[in-house]
Amino acid sequence: MKDNDWEDVDVNQRKTDRVYFESSLLQNISDSIDFLKDEASVILRDLDSTEFKQKIDEIDLEEFSEQAINQIDDVFDEISQFKDQVINKDDLPEEIKEFSKNTKAYLNRDEVYIRKARRKLEKEDSYRSNRRVVELCDKAIDVYSPNPEAHYLKARALINLKRYDDAIEEFISVLAIHEDDIDARLGIAEANRLSGEFDDAIDVYDSVLKVDEASAEALLGKALTYCGMEDYQKADEFFIKADALMDLDGNTMDIWDMCKEKM
């Protein structure tokens, strides 16, 4: 704050309870603080409302609380603009960043993030929930990067979001940690199949079958890939092999029936 900002710090008390400063700088800061108080009151009132309590099961409380905190954080960011020098997260010394990261690791925060991501991925398949899984996995990876489950769950969510290239990168990160991870290889093949890279998908499925010739997932994957390639004869061949090893769901059976009709 510049020296001339302190020349007149007189406070006027008018008919309302609001405080008015002669200094415009101090007035802006005071207004921001008042806004913070109002926001906190609104949040507390919402939390105590009957409507909120009735819908409590439909709300992601963790996400709700983060949004509330982010709103308050935004106001603090605005207040910081009045300073001569603004210190943001990117400007923090590396020692502080490293201390924060080590603290989260010590508290097993990465495991908490992964557990929440796994639960959310299993609970629902929506754009919002998959985006949330990606965010949680990124937090876990930030705490401890060589975490295969975090990369795997993130990849599954990215597939659901149809971000196939990004998903493949995450599966590759899993293989960089555990090169024999079959699920990661199947994930890469699935991402290639869904993106229309059929030849690449077949190659990866074949690499899985070289390790485990009775992999029902790989056999079914090849069946679906050949169906996408409109090679219905081969698709039927691999549907038969997969069906002998696993129970095919209704949607898969419908695809198989369609392949039979076009043979």
Side-chain angles (χ1 to χ4, degrees), residues 79-96:
I79 294 175
S80 69
Q81 299 299 320
F82 296 115
K83 299 179 181 179
D84 290 334
Q85 294 182 346
V86 179
I87 301 177
N88 56 45
K89 294 178 181 178
D90 293 334
D91 296 329
L92 289 174
E94 290 299 324
E95 293 81 0
I96 295 179

Side-chain angles (χ1 to χ4, degrees), residues 54-112:
Q54 289 175 343
K55 296 182 178 181
I56 192 74
D57 293 333
E58 303 174 10
I59 296 177
D60 187 329
L61 289 181
E62 180 191 6
E63 188 170 355
F64 175 83
S65 61
E66 283 193 6
Q67 289 175 350
I69 292 172
N70 287 338
Q71 285 182 339
I72 295 174
D73 188 53
D74 288 342
V75 177
F76 277 118
D77 285 342
E78 291 179 8
I79 294 175
S80 69
Q81 299 299 320
F82 296 115
K83 299 179 181 179
D84 290 334
Q85 294 182 346
V86 179
I87 301 177
N88 56 45
K89 294 178 181 178
D90 293 334
D91 296 329
L92 289 174
E94 290 299 324
E95 293 81 0
I96 295 179
K97 292 181 182 179
E98 191 64 23
F99 175 79
S100 175
K101 180 177 179 180
N102 291 339
T103 301
K104 290 179 181 178
Y106 179 77
L107 295 174
N108 295 321
R109 290 299 298 171
D110 54 323
E111 294 180 9
V112 175

Side-chain angles (χ1 to χ4, degrees), residues 33-50:
I33 293 173
D34 287 340
F35 178 77
L36 278 177
K37 293 178 180 178
D38 292 340
E39 285 293 295
S41 297
V42 170
I43 291 170
L44 290 174
R45 186 170 62 250
D46 288 344
L47 287 173
D48 195 47
S49 68
T50 302

Side-chain angles (χ1 to χ4, degrees), residues 193-235:
R193 174 175 67 80
L194 292 173
S195 64
E197 300 293 336
F198 298 127
D199 290 336
D200 290 340
I202 292 295
D203 288 342
V204 181
Y205 282 129
D206 283 340
S207 72
V208 173
L209 291 170
K210 285 181 181 179
V211 177
D212 179 11
E213 61 182 11
S215 172
E217 292 82 1
L219 292 169
L220 177 58
K222 289 191 69 172
L224 293 171
T225 304
Y226 280 124
C227 186
M229 298 169 69
E230 300 183 355
D231 189 339
Y232 302 116
Q233 188 70 43
K234 282 191 175 181

Side-chain angles (χ1 to χ4, degrees), residues 6-19:
W6 293 101
E7 290 178 358
D8 193 347
V9 195
D10 292 337
V11 178
N12 291 335
Q13 187 74 30
R14 302 184 182 178
K15 292 182 179 180
T16 67
D17 292 332
R18 186 176 178 186
V19 175

